[in-house]
Amino acid sequence: MVPRSQKGMMEHPMTLSLADIFAARNAISGIAVRTPLVPSPAMTEVAGAPFLMKLETTQPVGAFKLRGAVNAVSRLPEGTKGVACCSTGNHGRGVAYAAHAKGIRAVVCMSQLVPQAKVDGIRALGADVRIVGRSQDDAHAESIRLCESEGLIEISPFDDPHVVAGQGTIGLEILEDCPELAMLLVPLSGGGLAGGVALAAKAINPAIRVIGITMDRGAAMHASLKAGHPVEVEEVASLADSLGGGIGLQNRLTFDLCRRHLDDVILVTEEEIYRGMQSIYFDERMVAEGASAVGHAALLAGKLPKASGPIATILTGRNVDMAAFTKVVTGEDVPLGDVTVKGQRHAA
C-alpha cells in the first residue's frame, strides 16, 4: 500500500488485498484483541439456523474501530507530530487510544450530533476534541484544516486502506472460528468495516453472503450504491448514531469495495433498531449501541433472506449514551431530533 504523504493526505491505491488484512493482523496484535464469536440461543430460534455474535464490544475502547486506528497509527512515518480525524465517536476513541500508546498528539473533530458520552470518553483518553457544525462533513473539513495548518496527519474513519485493512481482520477471525458460515451481517456506515470484512470473507469463501445493514434515514452508503456514485445525504439523529455521516464525494476506496463485495443492503427503522437493542440487553444480557443492534433488528423484523447455514452478526460497540439506552430498555419514548421513537416493552 502507498504510504501517507507528509502533507497529511493519503494517496489511496485502487485495490486492497487479503495480504494487506493479514499484515494488519500482525500490526494490531497486542493492542486490539481477538474478540469472541459466541452463539445466541434466542436469535438461533428466530432464525432457524445457528446465529452467532462477534463481540467487538470487548475491545479495550469498547468498539471495533480500535483495529483500524491501531493499524493506521502503526504505519505513520517517523517524526509524525500528531494525527487528526473526524468521528461520530468510536473512531475517535480508537485514534485517541492508539495515538496515546504511540506517544503522539491526537485531535478528534466531531459534529454537534455526537452524544456527549462519546465526547467525554474521547477526552478521557487524552485527545483534543473539536466540536464543529452539525454534520460529519463539517467535522471532516476541520480535520483537513488542522492537517494543513498544523502539520498533522489525517486518519480517515473509513476511506483509508490501513483503516479498512484493520477492520477487515474481523472477517478473518469470524471465518477462522466458523468456516461453514453462510451469511455475515455487517453494520454499514462509511464502508470501512463492511468493505474490509466483506473483502476478507469473500476472499476466503466466495460463496458466503455478506449483507450490509443500516438505518433507513440518512444512510449515505446505501444512497450512494443506489445512485451508482457517492452522494450526499442529510444527517439526522438516530439510535444507530455510529452509522451516521457521509462517505465523501471523492471516496476512493470504500464505495468500490462495498459495490463489489456486498451482496445486499438492508434498511431498518428506528423502531426496529429499538427492538434490536432491547433484544441484545434482555436476551443476550449485554449493553450495545444501536449500530450493534442492526443485525438483530433485521432478523426480528423478518427482513433477512433465508440462510443455508450459520449466520453471524457483528456487535460493533458498547459506547452508548446511557440516558437514551435506559429509555430503550425500560420501554420509554426516545426523542431523536424531529421524530420520537415510541416506547415498547420487550416481549420475553
Side-chain angles (χ1 to χ4, degrees):
M1 292 184 292
V2 181
R4 289 174 173 79
S5 72
Q6 292 300 322
K7 292 183 180 180
M9 298 300 290
M10 170 68 74
E11 295 299 328
H12 288 261
M14 296 301 294
T15 61
L16 194 70
S17 72
L18 185 62
D20 294 319
I21 297 174
F22 275 107
R25 174 152 72 177
N26 292 333
I28 70 176
S29 177
I31 301 179
V33 302
R34 183 186 180 106
T35 57
L37 183 68
V38 301
S40 167
M43 293 301 101
T44 292
E45 185 174 346
V46 175
F51 191 92
L52 308 168
M53 302 177 296
K54 180 66 168 170
L55 304 186
E56 288 298 295
T57 50
T58 61
Q59 288 291 352
V61 300
F64 79 95
K65 290 284 192 176
L66 182 62
R67 294 175 184 260
V70 171
N71 191 45
V73 168
S74 77
R75 313 293 180 175
L76 292 171
E78 290 297 324
T80 296
K81 296 168 57 178
V83 294
C85 70
C86 61
S87 175
T88 55
N90 286 330
H91 178 63
R93 288 178 72 96
V95 168
Y97 190 96
H100 179 76
K102 195 175 179 67
I104 62 174
R105 179 187 179 205
V107 184
V108 180
C109 304
M110 296 182 287
S111 81
Q112 297 168 17
L113 292 178
V114 176
Q116 188 62 41
K118 292 191 175 184
V119 175
D120 294 342
I122 291 169
R123 285 199 173 109
L125 290 170
D128 179 9
V129 175
R130 308 283 177 91
I131 305 298
V132 183
R134 289 189 55 80
S135 74
Q136 183 82 331
D137 288 338
D138 293 336
H140 183 235
E142 176 65 7
S143 177
I144 294 295
R145 187 194 69 77
L146 286 169
C147 290
E148 293 175 346
S149 65
E150 300 187 23
L152 304 179
I153 289 181
E154 188 190 32
I155 299 179
S156 168
F158 53 87
D159 204 28
D160 178 319
H162 301 307
V163 170
V164 176
Q167 322 306 25
T169 60
I170 297 171
L172 296 183
E173 293 176 11
I174 291 174
L175 269 293
E176 287 170 351
D177 289 346
C178 186
E180 70 276 20
L181 194 70
M183 185 185 298
L184 180 51
L185 312 178
V186 189
L188 177 63
S189 180
L193 174 66
V197 168
L199 171 62
K202 291 283 189 177
I204 295 168
N205 177 12
I208 193 171
R209 188 171 178 82
V210 183
I211 299 176
I213 308 179
T214 190
M215 67 280 201
D216 68 348
R217 302 187 311 145
M221 183 61 80
H222 172 261
S224 298
L225 292 171
K226 188 174 180 180
H229 56 86
V231 299
E232 292 181 336
V233 298
E234 180 182 357
E235 290 185 46
V236 297
S238 172
L239 287 172
D241 55 88
S242 293
L243 301 184
I247 71 167
L249 293 181
Q250 304 304 315
N251 187 290
R252 293 167 287 185
L253 184 60
T254 59
F255 173 76
D256 184 61
L257 284 174
C258 290
R259 179 170 56 180
R260 287 191 290 120
H261 297 298
L262 289 182
D263 293 292
D264 197 5
V265 175
I266 293 174
L267 303 181
V268 288
T269 67
E270 295 298 326
E271 290 76 18
E272 289 162 353
I273 296 169
Y274 187 112
R275 288 195 293 273
M277 293 175 71
Q278 286 186 329
S279 176
I280 292 173
Y281 180 75
F282 288 104
D283 298 326
E284 321 295 355
R285 302 296 193 267
M286 298 178 192
V287 173
E289 300 176 35
S292 293
V294 294
H296 283 66
L299 175 60
L300 291 169
K303 293 184 174 180
L304 294 183
K306 186 173 178 59
S308 60
I311 305 167
T313 192
I314 303 170
L315 299 197
T316 48
R318 67 170 188 266
N319 300 313
V320 65
D321 181 314
M322 290 306 294
F325 183 78
T326 299
K327 290 180 181 294
V328 170
V329 298
T330 55
E332 299 177 44
D333 293 353
V334 179
L336 293 172
D338 59 350
V339 302
T340 297
V341 184
K342 293 297 183 182
Q344 48 193 302
R345 294 291 181 180
H346 176 68

